[in-house]
Amino acid sequence: MIGSATHGYSAAAIPTINGRPDIELAEALKKVSPQTQAKMKTQATDFEAMFLNSMFSQMTSSIKGEGPFGDTVGTGVWRSMLTDQYSKSFAKAGGIGVSADVFRQLILQQAGRTS
């Protein structure tokens, strides 16, 4: 129950970030155009994909000689492309929550510029 902290918003109108209601974000979203919000959502998702790509690359960096190409130069290329696709798919499906926090920060920064 959110109670009186909703500042006149219905519970459905308050955006949540990682499961928490965020009134500050709700106020900031009023100041940012829908087009800008969509661009920032894309940027946040792209950032999370890069983060996940880095994480997956580190996880598989010590694996040698496995996969469809054996222990060749092609193995690294194949693994790099696979890691890139995994990270994009994970981020697009909701990721691990990084993009939500990045989106929030981008919106708050943009709303501060318009004030």
Side-chain angles (χ1 to χ4, degrees):
M1 184 76 173
I2 299 170
S4 63
T6 60
H7 300 282
Y9 290 98
S10 69
I14 299 174
T16 60
I17 295 295
N18 296 327
R20 299 179 311 270
D22 194 331
I23 294 170
E24 185 178 16
L25 177 60
E27 291 295 322
L29 286 169
K30 292 179 185 178
K31 299 176 185 177
V32 179
S33 72
Q35 295 84 5
T36 302
Q37 290 178 33
K39 287 179 188 176
M40 291 182 180
K41 184 73 169 168
T42 299
Q43 290 173 345
T45 302
D46 290 347
F47 177 83
E48 182 159 11
M50 288 181 359
F51 175 82
L52 289 170
N53 190 359
S54 175
M55 185 177 75
F56 293 150
S57 293
Q58 288 296 317
M59 289 169 49
T60 61
S61 66
S62 65
I63 299 173
K64 303 288 182 208
E66 294 184 18
F69 302 116
D71 192 14
T72 65
V73 175
T75 304
V77 173
W78 175 81
R79 191 170 285 125
S80 173
M81 291 188 302
L82 180 65
T83 300
D84 190 47
Q85 287 304 308
Y86 278 164
S87 61
K88 288 177 183 175
S89 295
F90 273 60
K92 194 177 227 182
I96 57 174
V98 172
S99 66
D101 287 321
V102 170
F103 175 74
R104 180 182 189 276
Q105 289 304 314
L106 290 172
I107 291 294
L108 292 176
Q109 287 176 351
Q110 186 65 33
R113 289 182 185 150
T114 60
S115 295

